[in-house]
Amino acid sequence: MVPSSSSSTISLTQTFHHSTNIFDYHIRWTSLGNPTLPPLIFVHGTPWSSRVWHVYAQSLAQYFHVYLFDNPGFGVSPLGAPLPEVKDTISTSVALDANLAQQSEVFAALYKFWAQDWAGSKAHVVAHDHGGLMSLRAHLLHGCEYRSLCLIDVVAVGPFGQPLFKLVAENEGVFTALTGPVFEGVVEAYIRDAAHRELDRETMEMLKGPWIESEEGRKGFVRQMVQANSRSTEDVEGMYHEVGKKMPVRVIWGKEDKWIPVETAERLKEKLNARDVVVIEEAGHLVMYDQQARLGVELGWWLANVR
């Protein structure tokens, strides 16, 4: 069983407001460490939140100014609200934001807001799951320049999708109507499948809690599953070769990842011109829980070398 994290909970005490031409966002975030240290940003994926990074953020705040945030509709950041003038005209595809275009745009705006305090410096970025595609889109499409990029079991190259994604997408109304222990069982099974080792009860409760404790959470979980079934990278994959020429890139993967096969890591390395691939044994998609110490060593080594 994976041991429970010894880190205390980090509160996201600050709010960043951003409006696109469709949505209004209020992103919760915080930073740790001395502001004069090099900036380091952790980006989470789905269906997680910034809490998956807490133990690493607390340790690395001794050497970096660490930033944590929750994506719209995850953790303590509310889902983006449609602007009144377009509320009744938004199509389902735009509302779902299947290619993460909206979330990437918000992250880019947040990054540039933070960068105002960096005196021309650039941040190191560590991203997991769909946070990988977000960070790549923010760089390639929105001009966010990073000091380095570390991608961990990321959504970045297709094909994507699991049987559950397709099942939920084709039966969205059925899954939205589920409540109580039945819905909780679906969420727990989904999270359990992301880990190679058994998660301790405290960690499981933390990961599934936001999705089962309210009707909004239940709808949000189903929405994420539908979105994941139709994810697309065609508009940025053709530019991936530029990334490794502009910054150091490392790819880290759990060897036992059931969601995105480990073979994807080498494909991504070649596309991005990344420096190297690190495959972590006895780890699944949730490598930060399966092999917490090993991932910590790899992150520490990488950041020490690119700093």
Side-chain angles (χ1 to χ4, degrees):
M1 178 177 289
V2 181
S4 177
S5 170
S6 60
S7 64
S8 58
T9 300
I10 300 169
S11 297
L12 305 186
T13 56
Q14 303 192 61
T15 302
F16 171 71
H17 172 77
H18 178 70
S19 292
T20 67
N21 59 348
I22 301 175
F23 292 107
D24 194 33
Y25 294 96
H26 297 274
I27 303 302
R28 300 297 299 273
W29 66 278
T30 195
S31 63
L32 296 77
N34 190 325
T36 64
L37 294 172
L40 167 62
I41 300 170
F42 284 97
V43 188
H44 73 83
T46 182
W48 327 113
S49 73
S50 60
R51 290 191 64 175
V52 302
W53 296 122
H54 281 193
V55 66
Y56 304 104
Q58 289 172 327
S59 296
L60 290 167
Q62 302 297 315
Y63 312 100
F64 297 88
H65 187 206
V66 179
Y67 292 83
L68 294 172
F69 71 101
D70 282 349
N71 281 312
F74 295 82
V76 295
S77 291
L79 187 67
L83 298 177
E85 57 268 30
V86 299
K87 185 175 182 179
D88 297 328
T89 62
I90 297 176
S91 68
T92 301
S93 60
V94 172
L96 287 174
D97 187 23
N99 63 0
L100 301 178
Q102 292 285 328
Q103 290 197 32
S104 302
E105 181 179 345
V106 174
F107 170 59
L110 180 60
Y111 183 95
K112 292 173 182 178
F113 168 73
W114 288 334
Q116 295 176 89
D117 296 328
W118 299 342
S121 184
K122 296 180 285 188
H124 300 276
V125 174
V126 175
H128 176 245
D129 192 80
H130 81 224
L133 183 54
M134 283 177 53
S135 59
L136 288 167
R137 290 181 67 90
H139 169 64
L140 293 168
L141 302 180
H142 300 287
C144 293
E145 299 294 332
Y146 310 142
R147 177 64 187 88
S148 72
L149 181 61
C150 184
L151 302 171
I152 304 171
D153 293 80
V154 294
V155 171
V157 291
F160 305 111
Q162 300 180 50
L164 180 60
F165 295 164
K166 187 173 187 294
L167 181 64
V168 174
E170 294 177 348
N171 300 275
E172 184 177 356
V174 174
F175 280 88
T176 301
L178 294 178
T179 59
V182 175
F183 185 81
E184 182 175 351
V186 171
V187 176
E188 186 162 328
Y190 178 72
I191 293 173
R192 189 180 296 114
D193 195 52
H196 177 62
R197 302 166 65 190
E198 183 183 354
L199 296 168
D200 68 88
R201 179 48 52 183
E202 180 184 352
T203 299
M204 176 60 77
E205 292 299 323
M206 180 272 290
L207 292 174
K208 74 179 182 181
W211 307 115
I212 66 173
E213 292 170 355
S214 67
E215 181 179 359
E216 181 181 355
R218 292 192 296 273
K219 289 181 178 178
F221 181 82
V222 174
R223 183 179 62 250
Q224 298 306 322
M225 296 302 98
V226 174
Q227 174 176 303
N229 187 61
S230 54
R231 190 159 285 145
S232 171
T233 62
E234 285 85 352
D235 52 345
V236 287
E237 274 199 60
M239 296 183 280
Y240 280 179
H241 65 281
E242 304 171 11
V243 178
K245 298 176 183 178
K246 297 179 179 178
M247 72 190 84
V249 180
R250 164 172 267 203
V251 178
I252 298 178
W253 224 268
K255 186 176 182 180
E256 315 301 332
D257 192 333
K258 298 177 184 177
W259 288 12
I260 312 175
V262 66
E263 292 79 12
T264 307
E266 283 294 339
R267 290 173 54 217
L268 187 58
K269 174 182 179 293
E270 295 303 316
K271 283 181 174 288
L272 293 172
N273 289 307
R275 286 190 179 181
D276 63 353
V277 169
V278 175
V279 175
I280 299 183
E281 304 278 345
E282 299 297 316
H285 193 71
L286 280 175
V287 60
M288 63 279 293
Y289 293 111
D290 284 328
Q291 293 290 345
Q292 186 179 90
R294 174 73 191 278
L295 179 60
V297 169
E298 295 296 348
L299 286 176
W301 184 93
W302 170 250
L303 290 168
N305 277 273
V306 296
R307 181 172 175 180

